[in-house]
Amino acid sequence: VALDIGSHVPAPRLPFAAAAVDEVLAPFGRSRMLPAAAYWSPDVLTWERRHLFDGGWVCAGRLDLADEPGAQRAVDLGGTGALVVRGADGSVRTFANICRHRGHELLACGASVTRGVIQCPYHAWSYELDGSLRIAPRFEGVANFDQAELGLVELRSRVWGGWLFVNVDGGAHAFDAHLGALAPIAEPYECERLVVGATHRYELAANWKLACENYHECYHCPLIHPELCRVSDPRSGENVDWDGASVVGGAMTLSPGAVTMSIDGSSPLDPFRLLDDAQRRRVIYVGLLPNLLLSLHPDYVMSHRLVPVAPDRTAVECQWLFAPEMVERPGFDPSFAVDFWDLTNRQDWAAVESVQRAVTSPAYVPGLLATAEDAVHHFVTWVASAYRTG
Ligand code: FES
Ligand SMILES: [Fe+2]
């Protein structure tokens, strides 16, 4: 069932003066960071959930749904919850995880199940795997009950690189335009064939945007990441101006003697099979807005998927992906990559949680950006432009 999603919901309001957003959108070198309320206000998060998450292409994680028909998984998209279902024909559909009776979640967020129907645990309405309503117990004689009109709401979705992306409100621009220049850059990493070697879940006491801003600069690396600086010069590489697409980031270079990002710069794995010599010497760090951060290494891919939980809390799913032929090697051990980035992640989380503690203070004033923080400028420009235009 396709509904005119959101048309009945009043637009949330942002608590900013236009001048506060003007300062963010000033040219690089004269701009300031987002107004403090962007990091703590429930109204701002409500607005972002509606416009940036439900209104954009949100990453729902790897599409690693079981192959059997009836496999179902509930995923939190940051705004709306989704139910991902493999149908009788093997195809995958994504529905709003909302029962058409009175709105109970069809499956608890994060849960998986395999069964031939989708059944609501509240009053047992059940749906076929294609979303159509199958049975609504004891609704005989209810005058405005129209079974054909009460199927699950199907959401616009797309698989790219093995990840599932969902546009809840159906109004985002075409997915290929959303990916922009990222598609050809990611192509030699063949993300669609990679397998997850490890997953870590973190919950940060910080706004989701602080995690993005931190990811997009290495100005902080000399002080908080001594291990990282030994294998990659924090002044190396450069950011790319992706020209308005929902993509932010650039690349950094590996130090001489390092073949990947690990504690000692070594790797037990071969590089990805399609990379040229230049690609084997760098790591690409890119954000696909609003919620996926991709780190493309010569021999593994790391992803961070962000889900806002509250204005000052963010769930982060961090995954490490490897070529299948490497995972199948006897003794495969992803710890060289996992241990390095788990340490680095925790160093970063401590920094952003410190910033979060400051933003509610009347003494906090939005800060300035160094030349090396140009990708942060791209990110906050994207956010502030959305605040401005809706
Ligand atoms: S809310 Fe699902 S059956 Fe009532
Ligand atoms: Fe960092």
Side-chain angles (χ1 to χ4, degrees):
V1 169
L3 294 181
D4 186 7
I5 296 174
S7 59
H8 55 288
V9 181
R13 302 275 307 245
L14 285 170
F16 308 135
V21 178
D22 286 347
E23 286 194 316
V24 186
L25 295 174
F28 187 48
R30 287 193 283 128
S31 72
R32 286 190 171 270
M33 292 297 282
L34 296 166
Y39 304 104
W40 59 257
S41 159
D43 290 344
V44 174
L45 182 58
T46 301
W47 189 96
E48 292 172 343
R49 283 180 159 142
R50 173 65 191 85
H51 292 279
L52 304 184
F53 285 79
D54 287 346
W57 283 105
V58 187
C59 181
R62 296 296 284 178
L63 180 63
D64 47 5
L65 201 62
D67 275 340
E68 310 112 90
Q72 306 171 29
R73 171 169 315 131
V75 189
D76 185 353
L77 299 177
T80 298
L83 184 72
V84 188
V85 178
R86 190 175 297 282
D89 56 357
S91 66
V92 173
R93 292 183 179 82
T94 305
F95 302 103
N97 187 20
I98 298 173
C99 179
R100 291 298 307 279
H101 174 221
R102 280 172 42 214
H104 198 284
E105 290 166 332
L106 299 155
L107 195 60
C109 182
S112 298
V113 72
T114 299
R115 63 180 167 210
V117 295
I118 301 162
Q119 187 179 56
C120 178
Y122 201 6
H123 315 94
W125 278 34
S126 63
Y127 303 84
E128 306 290 356
L129 299 178
D130 66 2
S132 56
L133 178 60
R134 183 179 199 228
I135 298 168
R138 305 194 341 243
F139 254 71
E140 305 82 9
V142 175
N144 63 352
F145 174 75
D146 179 351
Q147 184 160 356
E149 291 293 309
L150 290 166
L152 299 178
V153 174
E154 185 160 359
L155 305 177
R156 187 179 177 205
S157 65
R158 174 81 184 263
V159 177
W160 174 78
W163 290 278
L164 174 68
F165 294 84
V166 183
N167 170 222
V168 172
D169 78 357
H173 48 46
F175 185 78
D176 291 339
H178 173 72
L179 271 185
L182 179 57
I185 285 173
E187 202 174 333
Y189 297 84
E190 301 182 284
C191 294
E192 64 285 347
R193 68 188 287 271
L194 305 185
V195 295
V196 176
T199 300
H200 281 201
R201 293 191 169 83
Y202 308 90
E203 187 162 315
L204 321 188
N207 183 271
W208 69 277
K209 298 186 296 299
L210 290 180
C212 293
E213 292 161 7
N214 175 78
Y215 179 83
H216 286 308
E217 50 93 359
C218 212
Y219 185 44
H220 67 262
C221 293
L223 262 74
I224 73 170
H225 298 314
E227 299 80 7
L228 182 150
C229 292
R230 283 201 282 272
V231 289
S232 187
D233 184 335
R235 294 159 303 177
S236 72
E238 56 189 27
N239 291 311
V240 179
D241 190 341
W242 303 80
D243 197 24
S246 309
V247 181
V248 171
M252 284 174 58
T253 309
L254 292 164
S255 298
V259 299
T260 194
M261 300 298 279
S262 64
I263 293 289
D264 64 1
S266 71
S267 170
L269 309 180
D270 299 339
F272 289 126
R273 61 190 183 181
L274 299 184
L275 300 189
D276 63 25
D277 289 347
Q279 289 160 337
R280 291 179 184 198
R281 299 302 312 150
R282 71 181 186 217
V283 182
I284 295 171
Y285 298 96
V286 65
L288 185 55
L289 303 172
N291 76 325
L292 182 65
L293 305 171
L294 278 184
S295 308
L296 307 170
H297 299 68
D299 53 344
Y300 65 93
V301 167
M302 177 176 63
S303 62
H304 291 87
R305 187 169 67 87
L306 310 181
V307 178
V309 175
D312 60 353
R313 294 203 83 80
T314 304
V316 180
E317 179 189 72
C318 185
Q319 295 192 305
W320 289 262
L321 287 78
F322 301 90
E325 61 275 17
M326 293 298 124
V327 174
E328 285 157 14
R329 270 190 187 170
F332 168 76
D333 179 357
S335 62
F336 74 102
V338 175
D339 292 353
F340 174 84
W341 279 113
D342 181 58
L343 173 70
T344 307
N345 282 339
R346 291 175 193 279
Q347 293 163 341
D348 283 322
W349 308 154
V352 298
E353 289 180 347
S354 174
V355 175
Q356 184 70 42
R357 289 191 288 274
V359 294
T360 49
S361 167
Y364 175 85
V365 180
L368 318 177
L369 290 168
T371 311
E373 296 174 291
D374 51 339
V376 181
H377 183 251
H378 294 165
F379 174 74
V380 294
T381 298
W382 182 86
V383 173
S385 301
Y387 289 164
R388 162 73 46 85
T389 62

